[in-house]
């Protein structure tokens, strides 16, 4: 109940006197936290990519598409100087 917050520390010779951390120490903590977050994000992305690859490999082949009823398209020979078309 009578303890100082974690962001404050006491010096050995100053009993009960809380001292704020140095700005450089705060920057070091922030850099370490950012680096840990970046490493965690990269590791998580690698795990997700691995799971996606595993799911892709384990997935069954899709069934062939059914042929639609009707008259099939016929390729029409190209006219001189023109591109081939489909009717």
């Amino acid at each position: 109940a009578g303890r100082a917050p974690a962001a404050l520390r006491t010096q050995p010779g100053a009993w009960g006197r809380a001292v704020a951390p140095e700005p450089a120490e705060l920057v070091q903590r922030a850099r370490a936290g950012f680096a840990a977050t970046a490493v965690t994000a990269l590791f998580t992305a690698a795990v997700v990519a691995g799971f996606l690859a595993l799911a892709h490999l384990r997935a069954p082949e899709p069934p062939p598409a059914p042929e639609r009823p009707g008259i099939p398209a016929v390729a029409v020979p190209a006219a001189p100087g023109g591109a081939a078309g489909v009717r």
Side-chain angles (χ1 to χ4, degrees):
R3 298 178 68 182
L8 301 176
R9 66 170 188 256
T10 58
Q11 293 178 344
W15 292 98
R17 222 175 94 205
V19 178
E22 294 292 323
E25 185 181 341
L26 294 175
V27 169
Q28 274 307 106
R29 285 186 195 176
R31 284 182 178 165
F34 180 73
T37 302
V39 168
T40 303
L42 288 173
F43 178 74
T44 303
V47 169
V48 169
F51 280 144
L52 287 172
L54 182 64
H56 180 71
L57 291 174
R58 292 190 52 160
E61 289 292 323
E67 291 191 24
R68 299 204 271 173
I71 302 172
V74 178
V76 177
V86 175
R87 250 190 238 184

